[in-house]
Amino acid sequence: MGKQRVLSGVQPTGNYHLGNYLGAIRNWVEGQSEYENYLFVADLHAITVPQVPYDSTRLASDTYTLVALYLACGLDLDYSTIFVQSHVSAHSELTWLLNCITPLNWLEDMIQFKEKAVKQGENVNVGLLDYPVLMAADILLYQADKVPVGEDQKQHLELTRDIAARFNHQFGKPDQQVLKLPDPLIRKEGARVMSLADGTRKMSKSDPSDLSRINLLDPPDQIQYKIKRCKTDPIRGLTFDDPERPECNNLLTLYMLLAGKAKKEVAAQCQDMGWGQFKPLLTDTIIESLKPIQEKYQAITEDKGYLESVLRDGRQKAQAIANQTLAQVKAALGYSVPL
Ligand code: AQP
């Protein structure tokens, strides 16, 4: 039996941070040899949240930065195909076809839509509502077996399964499913990284305060400054899992994940520490962990031709699978074949 196929992506909206790394990219890298990986830059998803004012120079440059970071973080092209979502037009086309079989109320029930719609007030576009159908198309086009998901994306993956099952039921044959139902690939515990300004909110690209996150490309002096300024509490002795101390739990978790230590070991090492002792330790650990990524990133971005060739190859491989699925979907729906 061949390897199972995994599909995942990150939106190219700048400020790639430790949450994106520890919650997504590092996990892909660690498991990559076990699977056949299709990892993309989700640039069609990136415009579902309006950018005001819109800067048309950002999308392409943020895309290249993200691809370079994927490679710098250790994605290996022997195991992983890296491509840009908008370069494979089947994503948009399958979205339309799936839109026509997806009940509106399924989308209106999505928690992320409700939350983001509240934030956007009157400026909610159809794309935001339709985001989960595009995500379903992303996954189903590649007949993915597994999709790495965090808590926030679980509901969207369930919707993807519901859409695939509905399609198969309405248009497939009893003995032959057109679309494969994907399973979640559950992340290791502790990979949810919280904001440096508030331990109850997740670290996020769109947080207006840059002090709330450590970006993967932050230079050492900036990392030092951010950790010096980050929110803590007045209690001496550092502990995990105290609901009254979300910042403490987050910073210890960051240290544990980046130092590659066991939770027990970190708990014992830090139980009598004050912040004055722990912060320099965490700062050095972050700087040392990001140094090889930043050096590799620098080398990769100096060779734009290489990045372009990675994306050309990625697009070809992705298109070969995506177009095949799209043709099967269209055949099942009864479309005529272009002459
Ligand atoms: N704080 C986080 N902790 C753990 N994982 C995280 N991810 C994002 N933030 C954290 C994971 O990174 C992947 C890519 O995310 P995305 O670009 O699709 O969008 P997102 O989840 O909405 O990421 P951001 O940074 O929070 O973006 P904004 O601010 O634009 O909403 C996903 O696997 C995600 O779980």
Side-chain angles (χ1 to χ4, degrees):
M1 215 176 70
K3 286 180 179 176
Q4 289 200 314
R5 191 174 290 155
V6 164
L7 182 113
S8 197
V10 174
Q11 297 181 52
T13 43
N15 305 327
Y16 309 110
H17 52 74
L18 276 180
N20 299 132
Y21 178 58
L22 295 170
I25 304 172
R26 193 171 86 159
N27 297 342
W28 304 346
V29 171
E30 282 174 1
Q32 66 181 328
S33 62
E34 259 179 77
Y35 299 104
E36 183 192 358
N37 309 283
Y38 281 77
L39 303 167
F40 66 102
V41 176
D43 59 346
L44 295 174
H45 284 279
I47 62 164
T48 55
V49 177
Q51 233 191 73
V52 185
Y54 191 77
D55 177 358
S56 61
T57 62
R58 288 287 303 273
L59 206 48
S61 74
D62 285 343
T63 294
Y64 274 92
T65 302
L66 184 55
V67 173
L69 273 174
Y70 279 177
L71 294 163
C73 289
L75 284 181
D76 181 336
L77 297 171
D78 284 342
Y79 304 119
S80 301
T81 298
I82 298 174
F83 65 99
V84 179
Q85 187 184 29
S86 67
H87 294 181
V88 181
S89 57
H91 289 253
S92 305
E93 205 174 334
L94 183 60
T95 301
W96 175 255
L97 301 175
L98 296 180
N99 272 339
C100 296
I101 65 142
T102 305
L104 181 61
N105 65 332
W106 287 10
L107 301 181
E108 287 169 338
D109 281 347
M110 292 293 111
I111 295 164
Q112 201 177 79
F113 169 70
K114 289 189 207 162
E115 286 175 358
K116 290 202 172 176
V118 167
K119 271 196 211 161
Q120 288 180 34
E122 288 182 2
N123 198 8
V124 178
N125 58 48
V126 176
L128 187 69
L129 179 71
D130 207 26
Y131 176 114
V133 182
L134 176 58
M135 180 170 155
D138 299 335
I139 297 166
L140 300 174
L141 272 179
Y142 297 89
Q143 308 281 4
D145 297 286
K146 299 240 185 260
V147 180
V149 280
E151 210 45 53
D152 53 339
Q153 290 294 340
K154 260 192 188 158
Q155 198 189 22
H156 289 166
L157 187 64
E158 273 158 28
L159 182 90
T160 298
R161 290 172 59 88
D162 290 344
I163 291 175
R166 188 175 170 96
F167 187 92
N168 289 338
H169 178 69
Q170 286 188 0
F171 306 103
K173 300 198 176 89
D175 54 336
Q176 198 188 4
Q177 59 171 12
V178 183
L179 298 169
K180 184 180 270 184
L181 271 61
D183 287 313
L185 187 62
I186 303 294
R187 285 196 201 123
K188 276 183 298 190
E189 203 198 335
R192 189 168 166 82
V193 178
M194 310 311 279
S195 160
L196 296 182
D198 177 352
T200 61
R201 274 193 293 122
K202 74 165 193 168
M203 188 177 282
S204 147
K205 294 193 221 99
S206 57
D207 193 314
S209 168
D210 197 50
L211 289 178
S212 69
R213 63 185 159 257
I214 302 283
N215 300 310
L216 298 180
L217 297 174
D218 278 345
D221 57 343
Q222 194 133 7
I223 295 172
Q224 190 179 30
Y225 181 71
K226 286 180 176 177
I227 295 299
K228 219 181 221 169
R229 294 280 308 269
C230 76
K231 186 172 176 199
T232 54
D233 54 38
I235 306 167
R236 204 188 154 75
L238 309 181
T239 49
F240 282 105
D241 302 323
D242 181 341
E244 303 292 314
R245 305 183 70 190
E247 288 80 21
C248 184
N249 186 63
N250 184 43
L251 296 173
L252 281 182
T253 304
L254 269 185
Y255 173 62
M256 173 186 83
L257 293 170
L258 292 173
K261 295 189 175 193
K263 191 169 177 178
K264 256 191 187 161
E265 193 185 342
V266 172
Q269 183 188 1
C270 302
Q271 63 184 347
D272 299 319
M273 276 189 192
W275 292 111
Q277 200 183 351
F278 178 73
K279 280 191 170 185
L281 179 67
L282 177 62
T283 302
D284 289 346
T285 306
I286 298 174
I287 292 172
E288 280 313 302
S289 311
L290 293 185
K291 196 170 158 201
I293 295 174
Q294 295 180 347
E295 286 172 355
K296 210 164 159 201
Y297 172 83
Q298 215 49 49
I300 291 168
T301 46
E302 276 162 23
D303 189 353
K304 188 138 192 245
Y306 170 66
L307 274 183
E308 283 167 353
S309 75
V310 168
L311 290 183
R312 233 184 340 262
D313 289 353
R315 176 180 173 213
Q316 268 175 13
K317 286 189 193 155
Q319 256 175 349
I321 299 176
N323 288 346
Q324 198 180 2
T325 305
L326 184 63
Q328 286 162 358
V329 167
K330 287 169 102 172
L333 285 165
Y335 278 94
S336 63
V337 180
L339 301 172

